[in-house]
Amino acid sequence: KLTQIADNVPKVYEAGQKSENDRFWDSVQDNGKRTSYQFAFAWWNYEYIRPKYKVAPTAGHMGQMFNNNKSLKKIEAEYFDFSKVPVAAYASNGLYYTFQFCYELEEIEAELPGDFLSGTFHSCSKLHTIAKIKVKETTTFTANPFYECTALEEIRFEGVIGNSLDIHWSTKLSMLSLVSIVNALSKTVSGQSITLPTTARQTYDDATYAGRWDELVAEYPNWSFKYS
């Protein structure tokens, strides 16, 4: 009997853990019916957020959703789906300081909507990968959304960049990341600038051939290319 009791203790413990986990997420996510996640995980202290129901906002917006989550390491696509976030009706409906001060964040696996970026990844100094940001020609980039993103290597843009963007802090951007950024630039807008790290030309030429970067840039005479 003592052996049987000892064998059952872990099972009882696991069942209790699952019950408490279910109770917690049912409360946080309104039993899976929650549709707006503004501030939802701000100031949490979790390395990984793995909710019971997939987080798929269909109302409200993502403003400050993970702001000041100082332990968060990864946004996993298995748990987050941002594809149904409504088009921004006003500025703060977009990626408004969504990941600001997430100092430990390393990877965003889930694709992000890009109607509006403001301070989005501010101070994410360990962030090395952003799977995809879907932008529009009207997307604006304010409050330095990539400020101090010094570890960023991989980022992909889908859509068209039509407004000035500064990403010069990211000196480790790969050749493919640089291609994604430049190839997304609108060929019709005017008076806009793209600010890249001083390493951009060398990184690109090393992966292709000497002078290739200048050839690529020349395809976008309507943009002012700056380096910092």
Side-chain angles (χ1 to χ4, degrees):
K1 289 182 179 180
L2 289 176
T3 300
Q4 185 177 6
I5 291 172
D7 289 343
N8 285 334
V9 166
K11 297 177 183 178
V12 173
Y13 178 75
E14 289 174 11
Q17 273 192 318
K18 183 181 184 306
S19 176
E20 177 58 21
N21 185 71
D22 286 348
R23 185 200 65 76
F24 174 77
W25 285 111
D26 283 344
S27 175
V28 170
Q29 296 185 278
D30 191 19
N31 296 298
K33 295 181 289 185
R34 184 170 181 173
T35 59
S36 178
Y37 282 85
Q38 182 187 16
F39 294 104
F41 307 110
W43 290 275
W44 281 33
N45 194 29
Y46 289 67
E47 289 187 10
Y48 300 97
I49 296 176
R50 292 168 175 166
K52 179 179 178 180
Y53 310 95
K54 179 168 280 193
V55 174
T58 57
H61 52 88
M62 295 172 62
Q64 304 194 54
M65 188 172 177
F66 301 93
N67 191 358
N68 267 282
N69 192 323
K70 293 181 172 63
S71 296
L72 184 64
K73 290 184 178 296
K74 187 176 182 179
I75 303 297
E76 299 170 272
E78 179 181 353
Y79 299 97
F80 296 92
D81 176 7
F82 303 125
S83 64
K84 297 179 178 62
V85 174
V87 174
Y90 57 94
S92 61
N93 264 14
L95 295 174
Y96 183 76
Y97 294 96
T98 305
F99 302 98
Q100 179 183 229
F101 302 140
C102 290
Y103 298 118
E104 298 298 318
L105 182 60
E106 297 176 357
E107 181 177 1
I108 299 175
E109 194 178 72
E111 296 181 1
L112 298 171
D115 291 303
F116 175 87
L117 278 76
S118 182
T120 308
F121 311 102
H122 194 289
S123 300
C124 292
S125 57
K126 292 187 179 180
L127 181 61
H128 59 72
T129 302
I130 301 174
K132 184 184 291 185
I133 303 177
K134 295 184 176 182
V135 295
K136 301 177 181 178
E137 195 162 5
T138 55
T139 297
T140 54
F141 306 90
T142 63
N144 293 320
F146 294 96
Y147 179 78
E148 289 296 328
C149 289
T150 54
L152 188 60
E153 296 181 34
E154 301 299 334
I155 184 171
R156 300 293 183 270
F157 285 91
E158 179 180 298
V160 178
I161 296 173
N163 287 291
S164 295
L165 169 64
D166 186 350
I167 194 170
H168 81 271
W169 297 274
S170 304
T171 59
K172 297 180 180 180
L173 287 173
S174 70
M175 175 266 199
L176 291 178
S177 294
L178 292 167
V179 168
S180 180
I181 295 168
V182 176
N183 283 347
L185 297 177
S186 168
K187 290 193 173 185
T188 59
V189 300
S190 60
Q192 304 301 319
S193 65
I194 175 77
T195 306
L196 296 160
T198 55
T199 54
R201 177 181 285 104
Q202 192 66 51
T203 297
Y204 198 82
D205 285 359
D206 285 349
T208 53
Y209 56 83
R212 177 61 186 124
W213 176 255
D214 290 333
E215 293 174 0
L216 177 64
V217 168
E219 297 175 21
Y220 298 85
N222 57 317
W223 281 83
S224 173
F225 282 79
K226 300 178 180 180
Y227 304 91
S228 181

